[in-house]
Amino acid sequence: MKLSSNFIYFHNELGLYKAIDIFSEAGFEGIEFNLDLEEYYSDKHDANFFREVRNYAKEKGIEFRQAHAPFASSYDDAEKTAKRFNEIVKSIEYASLLGTQMLVVHPCKHIAYRKGEEECRAITEYNVDFYKRLVPYAEKYGVKIAIENIGGCITETPQGLCALIEELDDPVFTVCYDVGHAKVCGVDPADMIRKLGKHIGCTHIHDNDGKGDNHTLPFYGSSINWDEVMKAFADIGYEGDLNYEAGAFVKYAPIRLRAESAKYMAAIGKHLIEKFETYKN
């Protein structure tokens, strides 16, 4: 299990290259590239830019292990939805140029989701069509599409997410399991891991208070049993990374402490990976 993180609260204050430097020096092996930032899904940068960024990271001993597509994935406005679909397609190409293995793409949720009602089937069918239209691009660029569990949608439960993956029935799809989202949705995080099993290809690791989607560092949210989470990952034979989406941990800290904060984040991550390895063996 390798240690990775998104760079949102480092990039925004310090810039892309400095963020790469900080994560490399802190001992991270990977970065989730935030292609959900408008700068990176617009036409501001060309293919050469993403190749250069990939090479820079490689020189620093770090990889872009996964990337995050722009979201929301759909809207009530058809023109706006079509524009976003094209931006997601563009992010698949950019993810490939960065060398990422997986691109996290949120499910569509603009249609009301009510368990057991007609709207549930409507949004399910909409998502099946949406994701299937991404298949040719995923195959062309060699990038897997990782579907995330998010609240207020069919993917908020393990049953709904498994059903969607199984209905899509294509190896280009995997799951980005978000531990914090599971907790906020009232789902036991370890139980969801076991129910998703081999469908999980990558992760968003962060903590919360069980009420809000706080995106803080593990052990700082008081609501998630991290021993159980790491044991569950070991039990299903998870082979992916421990990838943070815990940037809000540093949101209010002085910017000059970002490097020290990254080192502390790495220490917590390595502690969790040690637990995983212990349970695995």
Side-chain angles (χ1 to χ4, degrees), residues 182-194:
K183 187 65 181 182
V184 170
C185 290
V187 179
D188 180 81
D191 181 62
M192 189 167 188
I193 292 168
R194 291 189 173 91

Side-chain angles (χ1 to χ4, degrees), residues 165-184:
I165 287 284
E166 287 162 9
E167 189 163 350
L168 289 168
D169 190 27
D170 194 299
V172 304
F173 296 109
T174 186
V175 166
C176 175
Y177 175 64
D178 189 302
V179 182
H181 288 176
K183 187 65 181 182
V184 170

Side-chain angles (χ1 to χ4, degrees), residues 19-243:
I20 293 171
D21 292 346
I22 285 175
F23 281 113
S24 172
E25 291 163 7
F28 283 83
E29 298 163 280
I31 289 176
E32 178 185 58
F33 198 102
N34 287 99
L35 291 170
D36 50 315
L37 296 174
E38 187 174 3
E39 174 181 356
Y40 301 123
Y41 66 78
S42 65
D43 293 322
K44 182 174 181 178
H45 301 294
D46 61 11
N48 286 331
F49 167 83
F50 290 101
R51 292 190 186 98
E52 289 168 5
V53 172
R54 178 183 181 180
N55 289 335
Y56 182 85
K58 185 176 180 180
E59 290 172 3
K60 296 291 181 176
I62 204 162
E63 299 175 293
F64 296 111
R65 304 281 297 170
Q66 59 194 68
H68 203 304
F71 60 91
S73 294
S74 63
Y75 305 90
D76 287 326
D77 184 302
E79 185 176 343
K80 194 175 178 181
T81 295
K83 181 175 182 290
R84 177 46 50 88
F85 184 83
N86 289 333
E87 290 166 346
I88 292 172
V89 168
K90 190 182 298 182
S91 73
I92 295 174
E93 178 185 1
Y94 293 160
S96 175
L97 292 169
L98 289 165
T100 63
Q101 301 170 352
M102 286 166 275
L103 178 71
V104 180
V105 181
H106 279 197
C108 302
K109 54 178 291 186
H110 70 283
I111 300 173
Y113 166 58
R114 300 184 181 93
K115 302 178 185 71
E117 297 189 21
E118 185 178 334
E119 289 89 344
C120 181
R121 189 60 215 167
I123 192 61
T124 298
E125 291 174 353
Y126 191 98
N127 272 284
V128 169
D129 176 70
F130 164 74
Y131 283 115
K132 282 188 174 180
R133 288 189 293 128
L134 292 176
V135 170
Y137 306 102
E139 291 177 339
K140 177 180 179 180
Y141 294 110
V143 175
K144 282 199 167 192
I145 304 297
I147 304 173
E148 186 172 352
N149 56 304
I150 60 174
C153 191
I154 54 173
T155 67
E156 73 174 22
T157 66
Q159 295 85 356
L161 185 45
C162 283
L164 177 60
I165 287 284
E166 287 162 9
E167 189 163 350
L168 289 168
D169 190 27
D170 194 299
V172 304
F173 296 109
T174 186
V175 166
C176 175
Y177 175 64
D178 189 302
V179 182
H181 288 176
K183 187 65 181 182
V184 170
C185 290
V187 179
D188 180 81
D191 181 62
M192 189 167 188
I193 292 168
R194 291 189 173 91
K195 286 177 178 174
L196 291 172
K198 292 294 186 180
H199 289 313
I200 301 176
C202 61
T203 58
H204 281 162
I205 301 294
H206 55 101
D207 210 334
N208 58 57
D209 59 6
K211 300 174 183 177
D213 193 19
N214 308 128
H215 285 269
T216 192
L217 199 61
F219 306 112
Y220 281 73
S222 75
S223 74
I224 295 173
N225 185 322
W226 290 99
D227 275 320
E228 287 298 318
V229 166
M230 301 318 294
K231 185 176 188 301
F233 278 129
D235 288 346
I236 67 166
Y238 176 62
E239 297 178 347
D241 297 344
L242 186 147
N243 178 77

Side-chain angles (χ1 to χ4, degrees), residues 1 229-235 237-240 271-281:
M1 180 180 280
V229 166
M230 301 318 294
K231 185 176 188 301
F233 278 129
D235 288 346
Y238 176 62
E239 297 178 347
H271 171 75
L272 292 174
I273 290 172
E274 286 175 6
K275 285 184 175 294
F276 169 80
E277 295 296 339
T278 297
Y279 287 123
K280 181 179 174 182
N281 295 325

